[in-house]
Amino acid sequence: MALSQVRTKRLVAIHGWSGVILGLLLYVVILTGAVAVFSFEIGSWSASGTKSAEPFARPFDETLRRLAESVPATYHDDISVFPNSAGHIVAFLHTHTTNAEGDPDEKGVLFEVHPKTHAILAQREGFASEIFGVDPWSALDEFLVELHVNLHLPDPWGLYATGILGLLMLASAISGILIHRHLIQDLFVAPRLSSRLLNARDRHNLAGTWSLPFAFVLAFTGAYLSFALSLGLPTIGAVAFGGDQVALIERLIGVREAEDPTTAPLANIDGMLAASAEAGGTAPRGFIVRHWGRADATVTVSHLPAEGDLTAAQQLFDGPSGRHLGPKPGIGTKPSAGSTILGLIFPLHFGNFAGVLSRTVWFALGLVSCYVTLTGLRLWMARRDEHPVWRRLARAVAVVGYGLPIAIAGSGIGFFLSLPAEQTLFWTPAAFSIASAVAIGVGLVVHKDRTLARIYRLMLGIAFIALPLLRMGLGGFGWGHLMESGNGKVVAFDLVLLIAGAGFLVAAAGLASRAAKEPRAADGIAAK
Amino acid sequence: MTTILTLAAVAVSLAGLIYLAATDPKRRRAFNLPPCSRRLALFAWIVVFAPGATLLATEQTAAFVIWLGAGTIAGWLVAAKAPTPGASAKSQ
């Protein structure tokens, strides 16, 4: 598509200014998103492995009945059972109501159960908004996920912010296509070395071009998820359900329309889980019992996708008889295009459909998008580096670019240091803030760009290497025990961190030796 | 199975991408390399996309989506590496 020069200039301005204004925030969301792809693995790693790869390998029926009998009957409305990242079985027996703020919420009792002994490890009663997210073992992965999802801003502003950033990424991708006239011809042109500016432009364009398809996918699905929760559902609730969000959610989930409160015991849950495993093709990952002890009770069993599949079907059972009613769509009670599309949005955004392989590719795609964002910002600054304001902003790009991964690693260090005292809920975010402040402080004090990069790489190297050592040194399991207990992923995670840490130390040393060889060049950068 | 299929598909596509990059006329001009006398671009693009089409045809949707993602990263890495002078002599 040929654009006039005026239009192209206008688009370049939109592309550049939108990036300059929100680019660093976008980088925060993308990088934390790339890390959050491994949130379950990070949770499992920070807890030194899961207790059991298959949470329902041991029959659970007797334990579930014991838990149900121990809580008031009002909490029998819904029983959600799923494993957490430490491998504990979490059972939340609850009812749907509104909390003190008048927002729809779930109230009940949450149990954490050991997957092998079925001993109750923790028990909390209250609203879901209060009793979830207070487990000290899950503090690190939940902190990182929340940072990606809502930047730790209050609801719904955080979701609005990340939704807008998703739309910005989408707009940048579209304007990028329109202003890059030789998209196809330049597909294999490596960054040219003839000038610093041309090299910076080629780097940005090349990475931007190749990452375009997934930039669209990740930006669209991310914006959708943010706005669907913060804007879409409340709006539909207000328009179509007269503000009754509980009724809206029930309609979306697809509960039975005909209520039958007659007392009827639930059939054996283990029989339903076994039948579901056969129908779903994979071991159950969790289940929900609706209307426990009633004639209209249903059990919905969820699974990970079967080998080769992108999405996983839920299996629905009649509670009293245990009869398999067939696969249940994600939305409503009958298969629909909306349910299929929504079913695709989750795996396409989270990349969690094929284990570590798909997560690794999604992580890499996230890193490429980070690279595109940072190189775009640096290109914009480089074109204006004669002006002191832009030079200071260029410094901010370096500080945030290196500072964010340093802060993320810092949150991990804070997590492990505070784990023995079970103070992780406070110290994980506190350590993130402290590490951010240190990174910013270093950026303010050190004026030479190359020295600054060297210090940041050194900090990253030390922090990455410290993480597995702290995990093992402060009560976590060693590699021998982890391999024996089937937690090889934790060992692999340790190794990745050690290798990445060593890589950053080598990179820091490389910058040091280059600075020694080219002292004038280094000073020249410093002078800017 | 998904892992093996995906890795095999990415490997085949990667071979096509490497050939396309090595023989790309604009890339060669930009790095002062002589143009290739013969370039089988269409065949190379078929090699790049055939694994994806095969995965789709055999309903390996997970492998297809991972191949698509990994393929774009592989393409970027191949294209981002500047050609070496030795490459010019071989491809002439």
Side-chain angles (χ1 to χ4, degrees), chain A residues 474-493:
Chain A
L474 291 169
F477 293 123
W479 289 355
H481 176 89
L482 289 168
M483 293 305 289
E484 280 173 18
S485 60
N487 283 297
K489 282 181 189 172
V490 179
V491 178
F493 218 90

Side-chain angles (χ1 to χ4, degrees), chain A residues 306-309 353-354 357-358 361, chain B residues 1-14 47-71:
Chain A
E307 176 77 23
D309 288 346
F353 50 90
L357 178 67
S358 59
V361 171
Chain B
M1 188 66 175
T2 302
T3 306
I4 295 168
L5 280 175
T6 310
L7 294 178
V10 172
V12 173
S13 298
L14 183 63
V47 170
V48 170
F49 285 111
T54 309
L55 291 173
L56 261 189
T58 52
E59 295 185 354
Q60 292 289 334
T61 48
F64 170 76
V65 176
I66 303 171
W67 165 82
L68 208 56

